[in-house]
C-alpha cells in the first residue's frame, strides 16, 4: 500500500466522517507513516499534530493491532486512524503544550 491509498480515506474522514468537526490542514507522509495537522474550532480549539504509523499491507502486524476485522482501507482508516486521532485530541488537547510553531503534538493511543 502507498501513501496515495491512505490520502483519500483520511481526507474523507475530515470531510464527512468521524472527524468532520475538525479541519484538515496538512498530511505529510514519511517512510514510517503520516503526520496529520488539523485545527479544532470547537471542543478544545487549537492546532494539533499526531503522527500515525501506517500498515504496509492488509492484516500485517500494525493493521491487526488497530483493527483486525477491517476488510478494506476505508474501514481501517476509520478505526485505525480516525477513532484513535479523535481520542488523542479529546484526552490530550488540554494537557499538552504547543510547540514554538503553535501546534500541539498528540501521541496516538
Amino acid at each position: 500500500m502507498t501513501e496515495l491509498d491512505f490520502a483519500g480515506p483520511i481526507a474523507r474522514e475530515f470531510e464527512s466522517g468521524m472527524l468532520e468537526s475538525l479541519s484538515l490542514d496538512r498530511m505529510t507522509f514519511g517512510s514510517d507513516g503520516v503526520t496529520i495537522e488539523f485545527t479544532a474550532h470547537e471542543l478544545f480549539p487549537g492546532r494539533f499534530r499526531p503522527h500515525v504509523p501506517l500498515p504496509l499491507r492488509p492484516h500485517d502486524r500494525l493493521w491487526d493491532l488497530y483493527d483486525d476485522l477491517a476488510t478494506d482501507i476505508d474501514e481501517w482508516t476509520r478505526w485505525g486512524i480516525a477513532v484513535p486521532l479523535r481520542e488523542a485530541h479529546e484526552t490530550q488537547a488540554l494537557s499538552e503544550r504547543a510547540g514554538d510553531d503553535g501546534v500541539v503534538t498528540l501521541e496516538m493511543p
Side-chain angles (χ1 to χ4, degrees):
M1 293 185 301
T2 68
E3 58 192 47
L4 292 176
D5 295 321
F6 288 98
I10 292 170
R12 282 191 293 278
E13 287 295 332
F14 279 92
E15 292 167 1
S16 61
M18 195 82 174
L19 305 172
E20 67 183 327
S21 64
L22 308 172
S23 299
L24 176 62
D25 298 327
R26 178 181 4 192
M27 287 185 278
T28 306
F29 289 90
S31 61
D32 62 341
V34 60
T35 300
I36 301 170
E37 291 186 29
F38 67 91
T39 301
H41 302 285
E42 302 171 4
L43 186 66
F44 315 124
R47 291 180 53 220
F48 300 92
R49 177 190 306 125
H51 180 77
V52 181
L54 296 175
L56 299 174
R57 62 190 160 283
H59 298 289
D60 69 3
R61 184 193 64 76
L62 188 58
W63 179 290
D64 288 346
L65 180 65
Y66 281 94
D67 185 3
D68 62 340
L69 300 176
T71 57
D72 61 46
I73 200 161
D74 290 309
E75 185 180 5
W76 189 88
T77 299
R78 160 106 0 129
W79 299 106
I81 296 177
V83 170
L85 187 146
R86 183 160 207 96
E87 180 182 325
H89 173 248
E90 291 175 356
T91 60
Q92 300 172 37
L94 297 178
S95 61
E96 300 297 325
R97 299 176 57 92
D100 293 339
D101 60 358
V103 180
V104 175
T105 299
L106 301 175
E107 296 294 323
M108 291 294 280

